[in-house]
Amino acid sequence: MNQFQAFHQQYLAEFNHYLDEHLRQEIKQPELQAGMLYSVEAGGKRLRPFLLLAALKTCAPQVNPRDYFRVAGAIELLHTYSLIHDDLPEMDNDDYRRGHLTNHKKFTVGRAVLAGDGLLTHAFSWLATTKLTAALQVKLIQILAQAAGPQQMVAGQMTDIVHAGDHLSVAQVEQLDAQKTGALITAAVLMGAYCGQASPQLRQQLQIYAQNFGLAFQIYDDLLDLRGNAKQLGKAVGKDQAAGKNTYPEVLGLKAARAQLTQALAAARAALALLPDSTVLLEDALAYFDLGAVQ
Amino acid sequence: MNQFQAFHQQYLAEFNHYLDEHLRQEIKQPELQAGMLYSVEAGGKRLRPFLLLAALKTCAPQVNPRDYFRVAGAIELLHTYSLIHDDLPEMDNDDYRRGHLTNHKKFTVGRAVLAGDGLLTHAFSWLATTKLTAALQVKLIQILAQAAGPQQMVAGQMTDIVHAGDHLSVAQVEQLDAQKTGALITAAVLMGAYCGQASPQLRQQLQIYAQNFGLAFQIYDDLLDLRGNAKQLGKAVGKDQAAGKNTYPEVLGLKAARAQLTQALAAARAALALLPDSTVLLEDALAYFDLGAVQ
């Protein structure tokens, strides 16, 4: 077990408990509580919040990650909303996610839209009710709103659904994925860096790391979709191709897509190597990418 | 023309220009920009942002309302998102809104969900990028996220769709409407009060005013739906009843609903009467309710 995995294992149960406990306390409307909890507790890996906490620990080794669960939780609420809305029939139309029925299949489309709306708005509630300084809270809200909003994540999702079936260029696919997937991963790492009072230089390196992590994440997901199996992916396989989605293997070819994945991981490592202090947690987070699974 | 109407007329074109200019500058993805602008510019009265600005002027007569257009704009973006999502087929299933095709009829359901998601998230972007102090920005974000999120507005909408066709008690209808409609109106007034550095006593009176304004707003809308004409309402008439929605005339009877509307307006006026300074703007805002139209 590497250090990121150990860190993840050390705090995962407590973090999950934090999400569960606070959502149950704060959300009283029964169907809304049920809808929000259903997807938050559908077995996510908590990759984004743990990248946030790992970046925080990298910048400020002395802090207690538990004191930042509310910030890390906000990014998980935001991410969960994006999955619920992406799965809707008029979006990606997925029936399964992480091996469970998607929110709208479990409940209804109307209830799924509202569970997503509730999670999205509540993420900002959480960021505005931490014990951090007001200046830091505003910064975190800026980062999250800009990454998750119509300038990035929602823009990428719109391009994705509008251009499903069209042939996009490599540059267009890169922009789409940087917006749709990369922006939130980058936001997570940057939010951790701001919480850890990172210098502008340190933040810049962590941003390069995060952007390459995000790029690798999308290529890896595309390759798994094409080559993996349903169990590993937790959803239907070959669906992107069937839907005419613009994926990396589709626009680059399989070999070049694999090469770009390897290159992104190397660039992420190189960004960390320039830093004076220990970056083992973030280095080890790159073991998320199992290259053997996509050969 | 009363003073609220004059205030509204004085700033409306500039405020609309602010919304249009900033959304065009900030949202680059073409379909998303089009979808967001379509509903933001579909002829809304801008009631909530002008209540915010009127509360601000009441608390701080010396300020320039233009300096708070970004805050007022945030509440209009938020309100517009709520209309787009409420109109969706699996929610209220409306084809027309303010005399125009609803967003999902003009575009598609998928694009309408994303236009709403974009507006919701962008409201928080705007609140986190004003020139106000960080402490005030955090306060405004807290108020808006709590009013618009799963503790209030989204909870009310969930109750509304889950219990359409059920018979709710008067108390249940009151709670539903306070959440679904009242919370955002109250948030607008409170945000204006905070921007105007109102004392806790002043804020409390303005909150009572706003809660009664919100209650009156929902009863009035229900009565218009029942008795008004499509032109006044800008949407289909008698739809709530057909959908088995729990409205005030439905649960209270027509006469008692009208009496409660009159009572709410009196309570709103009484809350203002207790204040030492001029409250003419907010008093005049109550002329929004044309009692003759619902007799």
Side-chain angles (χ1 to χ4, degrees):
Chain A
M1 185 183 294
N2 73 32
Q3 289 202 32
F4 181 79
Q5 289 163 337
F7 178 70
H8 188 264
Q9 193 178 50
Q10 185 181 352
Y11 292 105
L12 181 63
E14 275 182 76
F15 179 69
N16 284 338
H17 179 72
Y18 183 95
L19 295 175
D20 182 72
E21 185 184 22
H22 285 83
L23 289 176
R24 281 181 202 278
Q25 276 172 8
E26 295 166 17
I27 315 304
K28 306 291 189 199
Q29 207 287 347
E31 289 84 5
L32 190 56
Q33 190 200 73
M36 291 168 66
L37 281 176
Y38 176 77
S39 289
V40 169
E41 299 185 348
K45 296 174 294 287
R46 315 300 187 200
L47 179 63
R48 289 156 194 78
F50 274 86
L51 280 175
L52 188 155
L53 296 173
L56 167 70
K57 272 302 239 188
T58 300
C59 301
Q62 76 289 358
V63 303
N64 185 341
R66 295 179 188 88
D67 295 338
Y68 295 83
F69 275 2
R70 200 164 181 81
V71 177
I75 210 154
E76 187 66 10
L77 300 186
L78 198 303
H79 173 60
T80 306
Y81 126 75
S82 77
L83 300 182
I84 295 174
H85 283 194
D86 283 8
D87 287 336
L88 289 170
E90 288 240 5
M91 305 277 195
D92 292 356
N93 194 21
D94 277 308
D95 291 353
Y96 289 92
R97 158 80 65 183
R98 297 169 180 165
H100 297 87
L101 282 176
T102 48
N103 200 293
H104 66 275
K105 294 299 284 186
K106 174 75 179 177
F107 304 105
T108 65
V109 171
R111 287 177 61 171
V113 170
L114 292 176
D117 291 346
L119 288 165
L120 166 53
T121 316
H122 212 53
F124 292 105
S125 249
W126 278 14
L127 289 182
T129 52
T130 63
K131 290 176 183 156
L132 306 172
T133 65
L136 181 51
Q137 291 185 82
V138 169
K139 190 70 199 170
L140 297 175
I141 292 163
Q142 273 177 24
I143 294 171
L144 188 61
Q146 285 170 8
Q151 292 162 309
Q152 300 257 24
M153 194 176 80
V154 180
Q157 178 67 4
M158 183 64 97
T159 303
D160 200 24
I161 68 167
V162 168
H163 290 287
D166 298 349
H167 281 285
L168 298 185
S169 68
V170 174
Q172 285 173 315
V173 172
E174 280 176 353
Q175 194 202 22
L176 189 167
D177 285 328
Q179 291 182 331
K180 189 179 163 173
T181 310
L184 194 61
I185 288 173
T186 303
V189 170
L190 271 183
M191 287 166 76
Y194 271 98
C195 287
Q197 318 232 334
S199 67
Q201 292 75 15
L202 176 49
R203 284 206 308 268
Q204 197 181 6
Q205 289 309 114
L206 291 181
Q207 182 160 11
I208 295 169
Y209 165 84
Q211 284 164 342
N212 281 288
F213 194 111
L215 175 61
F217 187 89
Q218 189 60 52
I219 302 172
Y220 185 69
D221 194 64
D222 288 350
L223 288 169
L224 278 186
D225 180 76
L226 205 65
R227 308 276 294 188
N229 58 59
K231 185 161 174 244
Q232 196 149 18
L233 207 58
K235 58 186 185 183
V237 165
K239 230 182 142 287
D240 293 344
Q241 205 177 13
K245 282 296 173 73
N246 283 283
T247 67
Y248 281 99
E250 197 73 33
V251 295
L252 282 177
L254 198 56
K255 200 176 153 192
R258 284 187 194 129
Q260 198 166 342
L261 170 58
T262 308
Q263 208 179 343
L265 295 177
R269 274 197 190 87
L272 297 179
L274 287 173
L275 296 173
D277 299 316
S278 171
T279 56
V280 62
L281 268 184
L282 292 172
E283 277 164 53
D284 283 357
L286 295 169
Y288 171 84
F289 303 99
D290 174 7
L291 297 181
V294 294
Q295 286 309 313
Chain B
M1 184 182 298
N2 72 32
Q3 288 201 33
F4 181 79
Q5 288 163 337
F7 178 71
H8 187 264
Q9 194 178 50
Q10 186 182 352
Y11 292 105
L12 181 63
E14 274 182 76
F15 179 69
N16 284 337
H17 179 73
Y18 183 95
L19 295 176
D20 182 74
E21 186 184 21
H22 285 82
L23 289 177
R24 280 181 202 280
Q25 277 171 9
E26 294 165 19
I27 314 304
K28 307 291 189 198
Q29 207 287 347
E31 289 84 6
L32 190 57
Q33 191 200 72
M36 290 167 66
L37 282 175
Y38 176 77
S39 290
V40 169
E41 300 185 346
K45 297 173 294 287
R46 315 300 187 201
L47 179 64
R48 288 155 194 80
F50 275 85
L51 280 176
L52 187 156
L53 295 172
L56 167 70
K57 272 302 238 189
T58 300
C59 302
Q62 76 289 358
V63 302
N64 185 342
R66 295 178 188 88
D67 295 338
Y68 294 83
F69 275 2
R70 200 163 182 83
V71 177
I75 209 154
E76 187 66 10
L77 300 186
L78 198 302
H79 172 59
T80 307
Y81 126 75
S82 76
L83 300 181
I84 295 173
H85 282 195
D86 282 8
D87 287 336
L88 289 171
E90 287 240 4
M91 306 275 196
D92 292 355
N93 193 21
D94 276 308
D95 292 352
Y96 289 92
R97 159 79 66 182
R98 296 168 180 168
H100 297 87
L101 283 176
T102 47
N103 199 293
H104 67 273
K105 294 299 285 185
K106 173 75 179 178
F107 303 106
T108 65
V109 171
R111 287 177 61 171
V113 170
L114 291 176
D117 292 345
L119 289 164
L120 166 54
T121 316
H122 212 53
F124 293 104
S125 248
W126 278 14
L127 289 182
T129 53
T130 63
K131 290 176 183 155
L132 306 172
T133 64
L136 181 52
Q137 290 185 81
V138 169
K139 191 70 203 168
L140 297 174
I141 292 164
Q142 273 177 22
I143 294 172
L144 188 61
Q146 285 169 8
Q151 292 161 309
Q152 300 256 24
M153 194 176 80
V154 180
Q157 178 67 5
M158 183 65 96
T159 302
D160 199 23
I161 67 167
V162 168
H163 290 287
D166 298 348
H167 281 284
L168 298 184
S169 68
V170 175
Q172 285 173 316
V173 172
E174 279 175 354
Q175 193 201 23
L176 189 166
D177 286 329
Q179 291 182 330
K180 187 177 164 172
T181 310
L184 195 61
I185 288 173
T186 303
V189 171
L190 270 185
M191 288 166 75
Y194 272 98
C195 287
Q197 319 231 333
S199 67
Q201 292 74 13
L202 177 49
R203 284 205 308 267
Q204 196 181 5
Q205 289 309 113
L206 292 180
Q207 184 160 9
I208 294 169
Y209 165 85
Q211 285 164 342
N212 281 287
F213 194 111
L215 174 60
F217 187 89
Q218 190 60 53
I219 302 172
Y220 185 69
D221 195 66
D222 287 350
L223 288 169
L224 279 185
D225 181 76
L226 204 64
R227 308 275 292 187
N229 58 59
K231 184 159 174 247
Q232 197 149 15
L233 207 59
K235 59 185 182 182
V237 165
K239 232 183 139 286
D240 293 342
Q241 205 176 13
K245 283 296 174 75
N246 284 285
T247 68
Y248 281 98
E250 198 72 32
V251 295
L252 282 177
L254 198 55
K255 200 175 152 193
R258 283 186 193 130
Q260 198 166 344
L261 170 57
T262 309
Q263 208 179 344
L265 295 177
R269 274 197 191 87
L272 296 179
L274 288 174
L275 296 173
D277 299 317
S278 170
T279 56
V280 61
L281 269 184
L282 292 173
E283 277 165 53
D284 283 357
L286 296 169
Y288 171 85
F289 302 99
D290 175 8
L291 296 182
V294 294
Q295 287 311 314

